[in-house]
Amino acid sequence: MIDLYTWNTPNGYKVSVTLEELGMPYTVHPIDISKGEQKQPGFLKINPNGRIPAIVDREEGDFAVFESGAIMLYLAEKAGKLLPTDRKGRSRVTQWLMFQMAGVGPMQGQANVFFRYFPEKLQPAIDRYQNETRRLYTVLDTRLGESEYLAGEYSIADIANWAWVRIHGWAGVSIDGLPNLQRWLAAIEQRPAAQKGITVPQPSNIHSSAAQDQAIKSAQTMLQR
């Protein structure tokens, strides 16, 4: 039903975990971003921005959807799960989804780049993005002190934020002193769909030295393009 074009990144995991949670059948098409496959003409027909993930819904006349948040909304609406149908409930989920899209993802992504990948050690840039990522984590922690999940019930908002926050160490950002965030991370980590989703398109251990070396090499290649 769904063709998933993805790679081992937080944004890719957002969609693969969502598909697993929804129990939707899908076929995986790995797009190796370290080789620039996301810039190939065939993929650009699906996502003109040349970024993963993207999907094609074969059941809907080969309808293509790109941008991870838009894909999650599309899939949740299609399945009638992980997204409330009432206006206020849907808005709460959308707000926390956009919080990840506009805040956690970009800020933590930049922290990753300057802390882990950039060829020069630019400490002001590292401090800026690590501090802002940590601030965003405190916002999540405060919210999770009020509610078990970000929008009340478990939803695509939790999946989106979890996919990024779970690799906080890769950006050099601590979650010490954020007990609600830690509780939430551990709870989602135990979900079978989350465990399966982060092995798509292939298992990856970002904490292993070999995986780190490959990630750094890939990122440096991307920075040069």
Side-chain angles (χ1 to χ4, degrees):
M1 181 185 299
I2 301 293
D3 279 4
L4 170 62
Y5 298 81
T6 191
W7 195 242
N8 297 323
T9 73
N11 284 335
Y13 293 153
K14 285 160 58 176
V15 176
S16 53
V17 172
T18 298
L19 284 163
E20 289 292 334
E21 289 282 6
L22 295 174
M24 247 181 214
Y26 65 100
T27 301
V28 179
H29 301 271
I31 302 295
D32 190 339
I33 61 176
S34 70
K35 298 178 181 178
E37 292 178 358
Q38 75 279 18
K39 302 299 185 182
Q40 295 301 309
F43 183 71
L44 290 174
K45 290 179 180 179
I46 298 169
N47 181 359
N49 194 36
R51 296 287 188 273
I52 63 94
I55 66 167
V56 174
D57 188 344
R58 300 302 180 188
E59 192 178 55
E60 296 292 336
D62 295 346
F63 182 67
V65 187
F66 64 91
E67 289 295 329
S68 56
I71 297 169
M72 297 174 84
L73 285 167
Y74 178 84
L75 294 172
E77 289 176 342
K78 182 180 178 74
K81 300 177 183 177
L82 300 177
L83 181 66
T85 56
D86 66 286
R87 187 177 305 152
K88 290 182 179 179
R90 178 188 170 88
S91 177
R92 289 188 189 98
V93 170
T94 304
Q95 288 172 58
W96 286 108
L97 176 63
M98 294 303 108
F99 179 85
Q100 185 279 309
M101 298 288 293
V104 173
M107 294 300 102
Q108 187 172 329
Q110 290 300 309
N112 288 341
V113 167
F114 285 105
F115 177 68
R116 188 69 64 174
Y117 303 141
F118 208 70
E120 300 175 46
K121 192 78 168 179
L122 302 179
Q123 196 60 46
I126 294 171
D127 292 343
R128 170 182 171 79
Y129 290 112
Q130 287 183 337
N131 290 340
E132 178 61 8
T133 301
R134 170 71 186 202
R135 186 192 72 79
L136 293 168
Y137 287 0
T138 65
V139 175
L140 292 172
D141 185 73
T142 299
R143 172 56 181 163
L144 292 166
E146 304 165 346
S147 177
E148 182 178 8
Y149 293 107
L150 290 172
E153 298 292 327
Y154 181 70
S155 71
I156 54 174
D158 297 289
I159 297 170
N161 283 277
W162 175 81
W164 277 89
V165 179
R166 64 179 289 272
I167 58 166
H168 61 90
W170 189 245
V173 181
S174 172
I175 58 171
D176 291 347
L178 302 176
N180 304 309
L181 187 68
Q182 292 176 21
R183 183 266 308 162
W184 170 83
L185 282 170
I188 299 176
E189 193 77 34
Q190 295 303 310
R191 297 180 69 92
Q195 294 173 10
K196 176 66 182 302
I198 59 173
T199 68
V200 176
Q202 59 193 23
S204 175
N205 181 4
I206 200 170
H207 301 294
S208 73
S209 58
Q212 290 183 16
D213 290 345
Q214 180 58 43
I216 291 169
K217 181 180 178 182
S218 298
Q220 289 174 339
T221 299
M222 294 300 293
L223 285 170
Q224 293 169 1
R225 291 177 178 164

